[in-house]
Amino acid sequence: GGEFWKQLCVEHGIQPDGLPRDDHGTHNATTNTDDNTIHNNNQQHSGPHNKNNQNFIDDRKDVFFYQSDAGHYIPRALLVDLEPRVVNKLIHQGPYRNLFNEENVFIAQDGGGAGNNWASGFRQGEQHHEKVLDMIDRESDNSDS
């Protein structure tokens, strides 16, 4: 999941802290105008999301992000896991740790995960389904569609 949000941030001009890059895309990025490629953190991204591309179409950040009152873009995502390592790595370490809304994160308190055991996952799901459904309801109530 971390690479997905990293790519969306690059494509939509959003910094790892959720703030938009300036109009020139200068936040850790340089543009090669010969091939309309953005070089960002040693990665190359080209195509319609490059603002120097003449075919650039106004970007719809609101599909994947909502904007807070402070101007930060926050992913429209719920991070749900019975085993905390992956989600904790995403929200507590690395450059994108300030991107996500902490209210949209659910990690089981016992933190052991299902261990590839369907019955264990089913039992734990029964214990936590109300809280997860409340998170889904809250996030869907805030969406436009």
Side-chain angles (χ1 to χ4, degrees), residues 47-68:
H49 300 292
N50 181 348
K51 289 187 178 185
N52 291 329
N53 187 339
Q54 293 177 354
N55 297 325
F56 179 76
I57 299 171
D58 189 25
D59 154 67
R60 296 262 335 253
K61 290 177 181 66
D62 61 326
V63 172
F64 293 104
F65 300 90
Y66 64 90
Q67 193 169 16
S68 72

Short mmCIF file of all heavy atoms in Angstrom, two decimals, residues 47-68:
data_model
loop_
_atom_site.label_atom_id
_atom_site.label_comp_id
_atom_site.label_asym_id
_atom_site.label_seq_id
_atom_site.Cartn_x
_atom_site.Cartn_y
_atom_site.Cartn_z
N GLY A 47 4.32 11.48 -18.73
CA GLY A 47 2.96 11.31 -19.18
C GLY A 47 2.09 12.50 -18.85
O GLY A 47 2.57 13.61 -18.60
N PRO A 48 0.77 12.30 -18.81
CA PRO A 48 -0.17 13.40 -18.69
C PRO A 48 -0.15 14.10 -17.36
O PRO A 48 -0.71 15.18 -17.23
CB PRO A 48 -1.53 12.72 -18.93
CG PRO A 48 -1.31 11.30 -18.54
CD PRO A 48 0.12 11.01 -18.90
N HIS A 49 0.50 13.54 -16.33
CA HIS A 49 0.50 14.18 -15.02
C HIS A 49 1.62 15.19 -14.89
O HIS A 49 1.74 15.84 -13.87
CB HIS A 49 0.59 13.13 -13.92
CG HIS A 49 -0.57 12.20 -13.95
ND1 HIS A 49 -1.84 12.59 -13.64
CD2 HIS A 49 -0.65 10.90 -14.31
CE1 HIS A 49 -2.66 11.57 -13.79
NE2 HIS A 49 -1.96 10.54 -14.19
N ASN A 50 2.47 15.33 -15.87
CA ASN A 50 3.54 16.31 -15.85
C ASN A 50 2.96 17.65 -16.31
O ASN A 50 2.43 17.77 -17.40
CB ASN A 50 4.66 15.86 -16.80
CG ASN A 50 5.82 16.82 -16.81
OD1 ASN A 50 5.72 17.93 -16.30
ND2 ASN A 50 6.91 16.39 -17.41
N LYS A 51 3.03 18.67 -15.46
CA LYS A 51 2.44 19.96 -15.77
C LYS A 51 3.07 20.64 -16.97
O LYS A 51 2.47 21.52 -17.57
CB LYS A 51 2.49 20.89 -14.56
CG LYS A 51 1.56 20.46 -13.48
CD LYS A 51 1.51 21.48 -12.39
CE LYS A 51 0.51 21.05 -11.34
NZ LYS A 51 0.31 22.02 -10.32
N ASN A 52 4.30 20.25 -17.34
CA ASN A 52 4.93 20.83 -18.52
C ASN A 52 4.46 20.17 -19.80
O ASN A 52 4.76 20.62 -20.88
CB ASN A 52 6.46 20.73 -18.41
CG ASN A 52 6.99 21.64 -17.33
OD1 ASN A 52 6.42 22.69 -17.07
ND2 ASN A 52 8.08 21.23 -16.71
N ASN A 53 3.72 19.08 -19.68
CA ASN A 53 3.18 18.39 -20.83
C ASN A 53 2.04 19.23 -21.39
O ASN A 53 1.14 19.64 -20.67
CB ASN A 53 2.67 17.01 -20.40
CG ASN A 53 2.25 16.15 -21.58
OD1 ASN A 53 1.96 16.66 -22.66
ND2 ASN A 53 2.21 14.85 -21.34
N GLN A 54 2.04 19.48 -22.67
CA GLN A 54 1.01 20.31 -23.28
C GLN A 54 -0.37 19.66 -23.18
O GLN A 54 -1.38 20.35 -23.27
CB GLN A 54 1.36 20.60 -24.73
CG GLN A 54 2.59 21.46 -24.87
CD GLN A 54 2.96 21.68 -26.33
OE1 GLN A 54 2.37 21.10 -27.22
NE2 GLN A 54 3.95 22.51 -26.55
N ASN A 55 -0.44 18.36 -22.99
CA ASN A 55 -1.72 17.66 -22.89
C ASN A 55 -2.20 17.53 -21.45
O ASN A 55 -3.13 16.79 -21.18
CB ASN A 55 -1.58 16.25 -23.49
CG ASN A 55 -1.25 16.30 -24.96
OD1 ASN A 55 -1.71 17.19 -25.66
ND2 ASN A 55 -0.45 15.35 -25.40
N PHE A 56 -1.57 18.25 -20.51
CA PHE A 56 -1.92 18.14 -19.10
C PHE A 56 -3.38 18.52 -18.89
O PHE A 56 -3.84 19.55 -19.35
CB PHE A 56 -1.02 19.03 -18.25
CG PHE A 56 -1.34 18.98 -16.79
CD1 PHE A 56 -0.97 17.88 -16.03
CD2 PHE A 56 -2.03 20.00 -16.18
CE1 PHE A 56 -1.27 17.82 -14.70
CE2 PHE A 56 -2.33 19.94 -14.84
CZ PHE A 56 -1.95 18.85 -14.10
N ILE A 57 -4.12 17.65 -18.23
CA ILE A 57 -5.52 17.90 -17.91
C ILE A 57 -5.59 18.21 -16.43
O ILE A 57 -4.89 17.60 -15.63
CB ILE A 57 -6.37 16.66 -18.25
CG1 ILE A 57 -6.27 16.36 -19.73
CG2 ILE A 57 -7.81 16.87 -17.84
CD1 ILE A 57 -6.89 15.04 -20.13
N ASP A 58 -6.48 19.16 -16.05
CA ASP A 58 -6.60 19.53 -14.63
C ASP A 58 -6.78 18.28 -13.79
O ASP A 58 -7.64 17.46 -14.04
CB ASP A 58 -7.76 20.49 -14.44
CG ASP A 58 -7.78 21.07 -13.05
OD1 ASP A 58 -6.71 21.14 -12.41
OD2 ASP A 58 -8.86 21.48 -12.60
N ASP A 59 -5.95 18.15 -12.80
CA ASP A 59 -5.85 16.96 -11.98
C ASP A 59 -6.97 16.93 -10.94
O ASP A 59 -7.33 17.94 -10.39
CB ASP A 59 -4.43 17.07 -11.43
CG ASP A 59 -4.17 16.41 -10.16
OD1 ASP A 59 -4.21 15.20 -10.16
OD2 ASP A 59 -3.87 17.11 -9.22
N ARG A 60 -7.54 15.77 -10.71
CA ARG A 60 -8.63 15.58 -9.76
C ARG A 60 -8.12 14.92 -8.49
O ARG A 60 -8.33 13.73 -8.27
CB ARG A 60 -9.72 14.71 -10.40
CG ARG A 60 -10.41 15.30 -11.59
CD ARG A 60 -11.75 15.97 -11.29
NE ARG A 60 -12.43 15.50 -10.13
CZ ARG A 60 -13.53 14.75 -10.14
NH1 ARG A 60 -14.05 14.37 -11.26
NH2 ARG A 60 -14.11 14.39 -9.02
N LYS A 61 -7.43 15.70 -7.68
CA LYS A 61 -6.89 15.17 -6.43
C LYS A 61 -7.99 14.63 -5.53
O LYS A 61 -7.78 13.72 -4.74
CB LYS A 61 -6.13 16.27 -5.69
CG LYS A 61 -4.84 16.69 -6.33
CD LYS A 61 -4.23 17.84 -5.53
CE LYS A 61 -2.95 18.33 -6.10
NZ LYS A 61 -3.07 18.97 -7.39
N ASP A 62 -9.20 15.20 -5.65
CA ASP A 62 -10.28 14.84 -4.76
C ASP A 62 -10.78 13.41 -4.93
O ASP A 62 -11.55 12.92 -4.12
CB ASP A 62 -11.44 15.81 -4.90
CG ASP A 62 -12.05 15.84 -6.29
OD1 ASP A 62 -11.30 15.67 -7.27
OD2 ASP A 62 -13.26 16.03 -6.39
N VAL A 63 -10.34 12.71 -5.96
CA VAL A 63 -10.72 11.32 -6.13
C VAL A 63 -10.05 10.45 -5.06
O VAL A 63 -10.68 9.61 -4.45
CB VAL A 63 -10.37 10.81 -7.54
CG1 VAL A 63 -10.59 9.31 -7.65
CG2 VAL A 63 -11.19 11.55 -8.58
N PHE A 64 -8.77 10.69 -4.82
CA PHE A 64 -8.01 9.88 -3.88
C PHE A 64 -7.70 10.59 -2.57
O PHE A 64 -7.30 9.95 -1.61
CB PHE A 64 -6.69 9.43 -4.51
CG PHE A 64 -6.87 8.49 -5.66
CD1 PHE A 64 -6.71 8.92 -6.95
CD2 PHE A 64 -7.20 7.16 -5.43
CE1 PHE A 64 -6.87 8.05 -8.02
CE2 PHE A 64 -7.37 6.28 -6.48
CZ PHE A 64 -7.21 6.73 -7.78
N PHE A 65 -7.86 11.92 -2.54
CA PHE A 65 -7.49 12.71 -1.36
C PHE A 65 -8.63 13.67 -1.02
O PHE A 65 -9.39 14.07 -1.88
CB PHE A 65 -6.25 13.56 -1.64
CG PHE A 65 -5.03 12.78 -2.00
CD1 PHE A 65 -4.74 12.47 -3.32
CD2 PHE A 65 -4.13 12.37 -1.02
CE1 PHE A 65 -3.61 11.76 -3.66
CE2 PHE A 65 -2.99 11.65 -1.36
CZ PHE A 65 -2.73 11.35 -2.67
N TYR A 66 -8.71 14.05 0.23
CA TYR A 66 -9.52 15.21 0.60
C TYR A 66 -8.59 16.23 1.21
O TYR A 66 -7.50 15.91 1.68
CB TYR A 66 -10.68 14.84 1.53
CG TYR A 66 -10.30 14.30 2.89
CD1 TYR A 66 -10.11 15.16 3.97
CD2 TYR A 66 -10.15 12.94 3.10
CE1 TYR A 66 -9.78 14.67 5.22
CE2 TYR A 66 -9.81 12.44 4.34
CZ TYR A 66 -9.64 13.30 5.40
OH TYR A 66 -9.30 12.82 6.62
N GLN A 67 -9.00 17.49 1.16
CA GLN A 67 -8.13 18.56 1.64
C GLN A 67 -8.61 19.05 2.99
O GLN A 67 -9.79 19.38 3.16
CB GLN A 67 -8.09 19.70 0.63
CG GLN A 67 -6.99 20.69 0.91
CD GLN A 67 -6.80 21.67 -0.25
OE1 GLN A 67 -7.66 21.80 -1.10
NE2 GLN A 67 -5.69 22.35 -0.25
N SER A 68 -7.69 19.11 3.95
CA SER A 68 -8.03 19.59 5.29
C SER A 68 -8.11 21.11 5.28
O SER A 68 -7.70 21.77 4.33
CB SER A 68 -6.98 19.12 6.30
OG SER A 68 -5.77 19.82 6.11
#
